[in-house]
Amino acid sequence: MLRWLIGGGREPQGLAEQSPLQTIGEEQTQNPYTELLVLKAHHDIVRFLVQLDDYRFASAGDDGIVVVWNAQTGEKLLELNGHTQKITAIITFPSLEACEEKNQLILTASADRTVIVWDCDTGRQVQKVSCFQSTVKCLALLQRLDVWLSGGNDLCVWNRKLDLLCKTSHLSDTGISALIEIPKNCVVAAVGKELIIFRLVAPTEGSLGWDILQVKRLLDHQDNILSLVNVNDLSFVTGSHVGELIIWDILDWTVQACERNFWDPSPQLDTQQEIKLCQKPNDVSIHHFTWDEENVFVAVGRGLYVYNLQMKRVIACQKTAHDSNVLHVAKLPNRQLISCSEDGSVRIWELREKQQLAAEPVPTGFF
């Protein structure tokens, strides 16, 4: 079952204060996760989580603060202050060539139109970029090309020294909500209901610099795309505001599987239709994914759901993992999952072994 390890509300805690162990919720025999801990440090909505190594992860959100945690004990290790508005994106970042120490770095973007490089070992602010014309909503690292991308109203390519290499023209007032790397020097950008495939062209002897080419637009979603992740070498997955989940072929960009309204297992029943009409859009919005070799773990509304890639259906769920919408999920070592929410909490969950799960069938719908 989903067992809660660590999490919490919006009350601040002192530096290096460890949260008390709490066990919350009823036994759910069909649920492979158990909540283990609740972490308290943020003063507002927590939107992002990123694993730093086997022992640490970082959280960030609307209070503009990055908190570095011990993933095993729930101890708050560092608090990184530097942004003046909410944080809009966070990724891990390779060490800069100019730095002698090879410490763990992260890159954060904010609504204050800045991007900051942080040293997560010392809490030091390494470098800051303040030349953005609009808010950066997403970041992506392309290690093979040794560049990173920022997405907002346009798409920009940067080197590790934080020099701007090239950018697109204005794409949309809505902006790019998510970015991932795919093969053939391409990236996928979520812009409203669309997916746009871009190809990055690196400099050659005959060219003066970098370039970004638009290759294709995919229009299969019916509503705004909120989440976009790679799940393996063959596929990537998207999720929308109205609960659509689409699995795409990573090479030819065709649809492999599609679940629309799969929170409703019996649409032909009048009672189910009535329930569906009463649902708020936020109750079914897919805000984020993470994955392992077999499953995609989906943040849907306030809940967490396990979608099996081979069976192409939901095999387990925790419908009320948080008090408000779950905005981000990430995997930790030792079969653990972390989630954060609009309720201001960060929670760590433990995945039970398969043989411990109940044999009775799990409903195929989210709701």
Side-chain angles (χ1 to χ4, degrees), residues 51-97:
Q51 182 181 346
L52 304 178
D53 50 39
D54 288 348
Y55 308 101
R56 298 176 301 167
F57 70 94
S59 58
D62 287 7
D63 55 10
I65 298 170
V66 179
V67 178
V68 179
W69 303 91
N70 183 307
Q72 296 180 328
T73 66
E75 179 184 0
K76 184 171 78 168
L77 303 175
L78 291 171
E79 186 174 293
L80 312 181
N81 293 274
H83 287 296
T84 59
Q85 296 186 42
K86 68 179 182 180
I87 292 174
T88 53
I90 180 172
I91 59 171
T92 57
F93 197 67
S95 296
L96 299 175
E97 294 177 357

Side-chain angles (χ1 to χ4, degrees), residues 132-169:
F132 297 96
Q133 301 300 311
S134 62
T135 298
V136 174
K137 297 183 178 181
C138 54
L139 300 165
L141 179 66
L142 280 58
Q143 289 188 334
R144 190 169 58 83
L145 295 175
D146 201 26
V147 297
W148 60 277
L149 309 179
S150 63
N153 291 349
D154 50 23
L155 177 63
C156 301
V157 182
W158 308 77
N159 64 19
R160 283 199 292 157
K161 297 178 181 178
L162 276 63
D163 299 320
L164 178 62
L165 302 176
C166 67
K167 61 186 293 186
T168 65
S169 58

